[in-house]
Amino acid sequence: MKLSDWARQQGISDITAWRWFRAGKLPVPARPLPAGTIWVEAPHPEGITVLYDRVSSADQKEDPERQVQCLQAFAQEQGWTEVKAVTEIGFGLNGKRKKLLRILRDPQVVRIVVEHRDRLARFGFDWLEAALAASGRHVVVLEEGEVTDDLVQDVLEILTSACGRLDGRRSARRRARPAWEAMGCG
């Protein structure tokens, strides 16, 4: 990380950090880059790395295995040793996913690794990421680009969630699709 970012994290001024670097008194390894930026090799926090994978339905049984393998390969490349894989079935709009809530409440978890942003949360990802950062934890997203799900898929998920909340039955998705198509959107 840049020296200025490190200084901000430590609660000291950029100038103080720069002076410490020049005097050789910086408490962490640092080196100047060719462009003049001073790069701090901050130690990685020890703790658990969770490889989180969510699928919307049990029909997608093969997808979690593929996603977890991809996440495990990435974690191994990063040299993270204490790694735990967690797979959950549930809609991205559901705020009551038990496994995710358990992960978020665990102070030992220092990073959550996901393949796509929407695997963690369909909406509000930025808020979740900011809340984790405030406690010194973070989210790592392998594929930053948007998934093929577009606005229509998001609206379908909202409609499905609303139907499910109205009567609480599992067949909400089956009932939501005809309603969506009847509105001329399908």
Side-chain angles (χ1 to χ4, degrees):
M1 80 175 61
K2 290 173 29 177
L3 182 63
S4 59
D5 294 336
W6 178 84
R8 210 170 298 117
Q9 253 184 9
Q10 303 304 311
I12 60 174
S13 74
D14 296 357
I15 294 173
T16 300
W18 183 79
R19 286 181 184 149
W20 287 357
F21 173 75
R22 297 282 295 177
K25 296 181 180 179
L26 203 59
V28 292
R31 60 186 165 85
L33 297 177
T37 303
I38 298 172
W39 191 255
V40 175
E41 303 293 335
H44 295 289
E46 294 301 318
I48 299 170
T49 297
V50 172
L51 310 175
Y52 183 76
D53 171 51
R54 178 193 60 79
V55 292
S56 297
S57 67
D59 299 345
Q60 301 168 317
K61 287 183 180 173
E62 290 78 33
D63 198 41
E65 294 171 14
R66 180 200 58 78
Q67 286 184 38
V68 168
Q69 287 175 352
C70 179
L71 296 173
Q72 285 173 334
F74 178 78
Q76 192 172 22
E77 286 174 16
Q78 301 304 310
W80 297 327
T81 54
E82 203 170 340
V83 177
K84 182 169 97 174
V86 176
T87 299
E88 190 160 43
I89 298 173
F91 287 114
L93 296 172
N94 185 351
K96 297 178 183 170
R97 288 181 270 148
K98 291 179 184 177
K99 292 180 182 179
L100 178 59
L101 291 173
R102 196 173 313 129
I103 292 166
L104 295 173
R105 289 182 181 127
D106 186 352
Q108 296 294 319
V109 175
V110 294
R111 76 183 61 81
I112 301 170
V113 184
V114 294
E115 188 173 28
H116 295 282
R117 293 167 56 108
D118 74 332
R119 297 298 90 198
L120 194 59
R122 180 67 70 178
F123 299 110
F125 178 88
D126 295 328
W127 294 333
L128 185 57
E129 187 176 39
L132 286 169
S135 64
R137 305 178 319 160
H138 61 279
V139 179
V140 177
V141 181
L142 268 63
E143 300 289 332
E144 279 294 340
E146 290 298 317
V147 236
T148 56
D149 295 334
D150 57 0
L151 185 59
V152 172
Q153 182 62 31
D154 290 341
V155 172
L156 181 59
E157 293 251 351
I158 291 169
L159 185 58
T160 300
S161 177
C163 288
R165 287 182 185 208
L166 284 174
D167 64 4
R169 295 184 191 158
R170 292 181 182 258
S171 60
R173 180 172 282 284
R174 186 171 33 102
R175 287 188 318 279
R177 188 166 298 279
W180 182 251
E181 289 170 354
M183 292 184 339
C185 300

